[in-house]
Amino acid sequence: MSNKDRKFRSSAWFGPKDRDGFVHRSWMKNQGLPEHLFDGRPVIGICNTWSELTPCNAHFRKIADHVKRGVYEAGGFPLEFPVMSLGETLMRPTTMLFRNLVSMDVEESIRANPIDGVVLLVGCDKTTPALVMGAASCDLPTITVSGGPMLNGKFRGQDIGSGTNVWKFSEDVSCGAMELSDFLDAEACMSRSAGHCMTMGTASTMASMVEALGIGLPMNAAIPAVDSRRYVLAHVAGRRIVEMVHEDLKISQILTRDAFENAVRVNAAIGGSTNAVIHLLAIAGRLGIDFDLADWDALGCDIPCLVNLMPSGEYLMEDFFYAGGLPVVIRELGAAIHSDALTVNGRTIGENVQAATCYDRDVIKTFAEPFKSLGGIAVLHGNLCPNGAVLKPSAATPELMNHRGRAVVFENIEDFHGRIEDPALDIDETCVMVLKNCGPCGYPGMAEVGNMPLPPKILQKGITDMVRISDARMSGTAYGTVVLHVAPEAAVGGPLALVKDGDMIELNVAERRLHLDIPDEELARRRAAWQPPEAAFERGYYKLYVEHVMQADRGADLDFLVGKSGAEVPRESH
Ligand code: FES
């Protein structure tokens, strides 16, 4: 309901005709802002993760300019502000360590400033959940605008996908099927335009989640970064956020349990990244929504994968856009979607996709004749993962999804790197590779190392997949029969810490079972002898993180960030 006479929270800063109001307005005017912008109109914060160290988001100043056009056009007052950016390819030890830190930056930046509504500019993997988590804890009217995927990679007449082809080419070099000089030539061919990874990796998955949750506009996920329609979407988002402030339409009114159920089903239908599991759990935690790891399996397991995109398939996001994008997928899901869920444009998700048309059935299949019958995320349980673990069936090898094998254990990532290429390593393709101490506390930050490369001597046999188990995550662009997010993790004494070389492990995805086949008494003996690692971090954010991070099954948020504090105007600073 619109109320054009309502006073917005920004009026607490810009409204008073006194000393404090003078201070708030006067310093802002040094930017050339005229008096009429301080007349009580909605102030729209444009939360920007632009950074030259985050190449996927390096075009965001231009996107922000288009958002501003829309805000001005609708009678709002746009103010762009930076938050810490997270560049997936450069940051060490892993961007995931900093997702929660950025969410705090976002939350506190919004609450501390004269902002009435916010547009979140997101792209590279962790920037999306980090900004949505922070905004959810403030609960103002919010629209998320993704930066869009890169154009398809083109290498010697072939389409190549971010990440997915890196892993493949690297294996080819490892087994002698590709020359190093050709591998290096592919670099520039893969990343040839602005935008984020153009496979259905984590960035494209999270951009799709934004659209499926209703906190982004239709087509948010698929429009390429350099397509002029990406700027149109940003412009329209700028107009719409002003209306949302007038309507007082808060993010919590969009992010309901139904919205999360829709997102889980859409994630299955797009063959989305396992990282979405952790991020959506964390976002739901901020809003107090009853949504847990079991929901991922219960809601998504009967949804087939409709989208033929890498890493599960062969096409890329540019093709997905030309085929009709996410609205086609959502429409195809029919009754599996809560069609009356509200979205940021004021319409329901059902209304948004009503006219969606598919222009390429090779790229987006029908529900009746899907791309793969197994979409979704399988949530595993058993004595090796009492609080759960996940596997993405659409990226796994069907024959390996029911497998019993001898464990080959790596104590940490350095141990893995040190021994994996050793011809004397006692391993064959029937073994189960186990990697410890890469979880939230152990790495720290839960790195994307779960898709361990296979030993060269196995790749040379032409074998490209083995069962791999860890407490790590994996890149959304990766593939394989990879069990991830084992909880509790090894570093806090989860059963994964107790696995030894030669133990037999059983994986049965159909039964959702992950079992360490040793007697209970032996497991108890090993547990009694287990020593926790020494505290590695004495100060700073690392210490705060390790002391407060929750396990993967809780979204790996910091325990004290769960919930929201709203956006009440804090006390004056002077
Ligand atoms: Fe940024 Fe993949 S590296 S989205």
Side-chain angles (χ1 to χ4, degrees):
M1 188 65 75
S2 178
N3 177 0
K4 298 257 178 191
D5 299 325
R6 197 160 55 84
K7 269 196 168 182
F8 305 117
R9 71 187 290 278
S10 60
S11 67
W13 281 263
F14 297 141
K17 304 290 184 235
D18 60 7
R19 181 200 64 173
D20 292 338
F22 179 105
V23 169
H24 301 142
R25 290 182 299 271
S26 173
W27 268 257
M28 290 296 283
K29 286 177 179 174
N30 80 349
Q31 301 176 84
L33 299 168
E35 176 61 27
H36 68 263
L37 291 177
F38 301 91
D39 62 0
R41 65 187 65 201
V43 176
I44 305 301
I46 302 173
C47 181
N48 201 340
T49 48
W50 169 85
S51 167
E52 289 180 344
L53 290 167
T54 306
C56 308
N57 299 14
H59 59 303
F60 278 20
R61 298 302 308 279
K62 194 167 175 200
I63 291 193
D65 283 344
H66 285 269
V67 174
K68 284 180 195 172
R69 290 188 195 181
V71 172
Y72 280 126
E73 209 173 85
F77 177 10
L79 291 169
E80 182 184 350
F81 65 98
V83 288
M84 182 181 178
S85 192
L86 301 175
E88 202 63 30
T89 49
L90 300 182
M91 289 187 90
R92 298 183 179 193
T94 165
T95 50
M96 184 62 180
L97 175 63
F98 307 110
R99 182 200 65 179
N100 302 336
L101 178 62
V102 174
S103 79
M104 291 167 76
D105 182 354
V106 172
E107 176 180 347
E108 303 306 339
S109 293
I110 294 172
R111 187 177 298 116
N113 280 297
I115 290 173
D116 303 310
V118 62
V119 176
L120 309 174
L121 301 190
V122 301
C124 200
D125 295 10
K126 307 302 177 298
T127 56
T128 304
L131 268 57
V132 174
M133 288 160 70
S137 287
C138 285
D139 199 15
L140 287 174
T142 304
I143 293 188
T144 310
V145 174
S146 300
M150 286 186 266
L151 296 176
N152 289 5
K154 295 276 182 188
F155 178 57
R156 300 180 180 174
Q158 183 196 342
D159 279 7
I160 58 171
S162 320
T164 304
N165 276 98
V166 183
W167 320 132
K168 183 176 181 318
F169 289 164
S170 155
E171 284 173 0
D172 287 350
V173 171
S174 194
C175 69
M178 187 180 199
E179 294 294 328
L180 183 61
S181 57
D182 294 336
F183 178 73
L184 296 176
D185 274 355
E187 279 180 16
C189 306
M190 181 170 289
S191 312
R192 65 190 184 92
S193 81
H196 60 67
C197 289
M198 79 316 252
T199 41
M200 187 50 84
T202 304
S204 297
T205 299
M206 291 310 296
S208 301
M209 294 296 91
V210 160
E211 196 171 330
L213 286 164
I215 54 173
L217 294 171
M219 293 305 282
N220 174 72
I223 305 172
V226 295
D227 192 297
S228 53
R229 286 162 284 187
R230 176 61 59 185
Y231 298 115
V232 172
L233 184 135
H235 186 132
V236 173
R239 283 181 63 97
R240 177 60 193 153
I241 187 67
V242 176
E243 293 172 2
M244 285 174 70
V245 171
H246 285 298
E247 294 165 8
D248 200 21
L249 178 56
K250 297 187 172 82
I251 193 171
S252 61
Q253 292 165 263
I254 311 270
L255 289 177
T256 60
R257 162 92 193 177
D258 280 359
F260 281 88
E261 293 192 3
N262 284 346
V264 168
R265 289 178 172 134
V266 169
N267 186 69
I270 61 174
S273 164
T274 47
N275 284 321
V277 176
I278 291 198
H279 298 324
L280 263 61
L281 289 172
I283 295 167
R286 297 299 183 98
L287 292 153
I289 290 173
D290 180 19
F291 172 73
D292 61 24
L293 184 59
D295 287 320
W296 278 92
D297 207 327
L299 297 166
C301 72
D302 58 342
I303 303 290
C305 176
L306 309 185
V307 170
N308 181 9
L309 294 197
M310 293 184 200
S312 300
E314 58 182 306
Y315 292 99
L316 294 166
M317 288 299 285
E318 193 183 336
D319 309 306
F320 186 50
F321 174 54
Y322 301 143
L326 199 70
V328 174
V329 177
I330 297 173
R331 185 173 186 210
E332 207 52 59
L333 288 174
I337 289 290
H338 298 289
S339 60
D340 55 352
L342 185 62
T343 74
V344 284
N345 66 3
R347 294 192 286 273
T348 66
I349 196 159
E351 289 167 342
N352 284 343
V353 305
Q354 209 166 28
T357 307
C358 182
Y359 300 105
D360 190 341
R361 280 292 174 202
D362 269 354
V363 179
I364 306 174
K365 308 284 186 184
T366 62
F367 196 88
E369 290 182 57
F371 173 54
K372 292 190 179 189
S373 57
L374 288 175
I377 303 286
V379 177
L380 309 171
H381 285 283
N383 66 351
L384 196 46
C385 55
N387 293 349
V390 303
L391 176 140
K392 182 175 166 183
S394 65
T397 303
E399 302 75 48
L400 286 175
M401 287 202 280
N402 185 5
H403 183 80
R404 178 182 162 88
R406 170 172 61 88
V408 175
V409 177
F410 302 97
E411 289 300 322
N412 52 46
I413 197 65
E414 287 74 25
D415 181 30
F416 171 79
H417 288 312
R419 293 195 291 132
I420 193 62
E421 295 189 3
D422 183 351
L425 181 66
D426 182 14
I427 191 167
D428 63 41
E429 57 272 29
T430 67
C431 290
V432 173
M433 295 165 68
V434 175
L435 176 61
K436 302 178 182 176
N437 295 308
C438 294
C441 291
Y443 204 77
M446 205 179 175
E448 290 187 339
V449 294
N451 55 316
M452 293 165 261
L454 305 194
K457 64 180 181 182
I458 290 180
L459 289 171
Q460 279 153 13
K461 289 193 225 173
I463 290 159
T464 55
D465 197 10
M466 290 171 62
V467 174
R468 288 158 273 179
I469 299 173
S470 74
D471 46 15
R473 296 176 301 116
M474 95 174 163
S475 163
T477 61
Y479 47 85
T481 311
V482 186
V483 177
L484 303 155
H485 309 183
V486 166
E489 63 174 302
V492 300
L496 190 70
L498 311 177
V499 183
K500 291 190 171 172
D501 275 334
D503 289 346
M504 295 306 288
I505 293 179
E506 292 169 10
L507 168 68
N508 187 324
V509 178
E511 294 179 7
R512 301 294 194 262
R513 183 162 178 268
L514 184 65
H515 181 70
L516 178 62
D517 192 11
I518 60 172
D520 289 346
E521 311 77 63
E522 171 62 12
L523 201 57
R525 243 192 320 276
R526 291 185 194 178
R527 182 176 305 290
W530 181 76
Q531 293 291 327
E534 278 186 22
F537 306 105
E538 293 301 327
R539 65 166 299 283
Y541 175 69
Y542 275 54
K543 179 174 163 63
L544 180 81
Y545 176 90
V546 167
E547 288 179 354
H548 291 279
V549 71
M550 301 187 296
Q551 290 293 293
D553 60 302
R554 303 283 310 280
D557 201 359
L558 302 184
D559 52 12
F560 61 85
L561 291 176
V562 172
K564 59 186 162 93
S565 308
E568 196 145 317
V569 175
R571 60 164 59 140
E572 180 57 87
S573 60
H574 311 296

